């Protein structure tokens, strides 16, 4: 049975601050839990005025403390920014506080620009090549401590915290398959290699102690509303944010655009459209059709929905519609 989940970036809207974003994220997680979403993930980004989840483990704790049953985790922690032992301690702490509810999704990218990466005190020489070794090292910190082991993750050692690999390329798919880990593809902003990556992952998968058979997830933007026109209007907040990002001027999440034709005449518009092509936008029936087509194409085990919607009430409503649609599609084998 296909599961459906939420990816949140704790968006900071124009006119608000990080504290507002954290409050809204926690409220969204409570809403998602009540609607039957399986997990709620937060993503690590740095030096992004419109994203508040830089200290990802801290925000995960804030969300987990406000919920009871939904799984909470990272989508993801950008492992090259951190020592594996520190990640093990942070997520060991989270798992001790919220046992059996914590996921650890890992990314290979820095989640920021190179100047900020240097400010994070990363070793920028060959960091991509060390990613597989860092993942294996992290797994070892979670293994039961051996007698006489001089350094341990406390807490962390002996904890069964599910590790995921996240990516938008073939590299992470190959590594997830080789290590026998679940794999999540970032199709909500980089869909180009999605189908090839999923195929490589499934064909190359090797069973592991964590996972006997491949388990894949793909992400999709969700902007569901009472009409196609309203869904498209809500979507323009994310489209504007991507335009600003492409121009090197990231900012807080803007309100929906009032002049959509003018927005669509921007020179970078085609690139934004390609990046956001995996999106369900519109009325309930339109969104249902788009999600069904996405599931049919990808054949994933889990769908992760994300929606950078300016109005918080509209965001809650969008996820309500998304949950209704997903429940219907799960009951309809043709869509799965």
């Amino acid at each position: 049975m296909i599961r459906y989940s939420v990816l949140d970036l704790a968006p900071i809207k124009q006119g608000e601050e990080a504290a507002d974003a954290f409050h809204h994220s926690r409220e969204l997680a409570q809403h998602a839990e009540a609607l039957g979403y399986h997990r709620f993930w937060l993503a690590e980004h740095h030096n992004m005025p419109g994203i508040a989840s830089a200290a990802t483990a801290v925000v995960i704790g804030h969300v987990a403390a406000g919920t009871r049953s939904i799984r909470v985790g990272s989508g993801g922690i950008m492992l090259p920014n951190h020592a594996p032992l520190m990640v093990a301690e942070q997520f060991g702490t989270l798992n001790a506080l919220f046992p059996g509810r914590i996921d650890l999704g890992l990314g290979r990218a820095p989640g920021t620009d190179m100047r900020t990466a240097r400010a994070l005190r990363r070793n920028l020489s060959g960091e991509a090549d060390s990613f597989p070794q860092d993942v294996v090292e992290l797994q070892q910190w979670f293994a039961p401590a051996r007698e006489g082991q001089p350094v341990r993750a406390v807490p962390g050692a002996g904890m069964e915290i599910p590790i995921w690999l996240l990516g938008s390329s073939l590299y992470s798919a190959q590594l997830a398959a080789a290590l026998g880990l679940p794999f999540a593809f970032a199709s909500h902003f980089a869909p180009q290699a999605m189908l090839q990556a999923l195929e490589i992952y499934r064909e190359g998968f090797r069973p592991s102690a964590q996972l006997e058979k491949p388990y894949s997830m793909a992400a999709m933007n969700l902007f569901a509303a009472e009409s196609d026109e309203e869904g498209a209007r809500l979507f323009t907040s994310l489209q504007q944010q991507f335009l600003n990002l492409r121009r090197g001027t990231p900012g807080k999440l803007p309100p929906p655009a009032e002049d959509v034709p003018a927005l669509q005449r921007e020179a970078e518009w085609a690139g934004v459209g390609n990046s956001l092509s995996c999106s369900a936008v519109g009325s309930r029936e339109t969104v249902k059709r788009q999600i069904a087509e996405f599931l049919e194409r990808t054949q994933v085990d889990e769908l992760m929905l994300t929606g950078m919607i300016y109005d918080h009430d509209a965001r809650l409503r969008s996820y309500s519609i998304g949950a209704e649609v997903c429940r219907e599609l799960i009951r309809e084998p043709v869509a799965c």
Side-chain angles (χ1 to χ4, degrees), residues 28-37 66-71 101:
L28 176 60
Q30 293 166 339
H31 185 64
E33 181 175 72
L35 291 169
Y37 284 92
T67 53
R68 294 184 176 183
S69 59
I70 193 169
R71 299 193 66 86
R101 293 179 54 206

Side-chain angles (χ1 to χ4, degrees), residues 153-164:
V154 182
M159 290 187 173
E160 295 183 356
I161 300 173
I163 293 178
W164 290 68

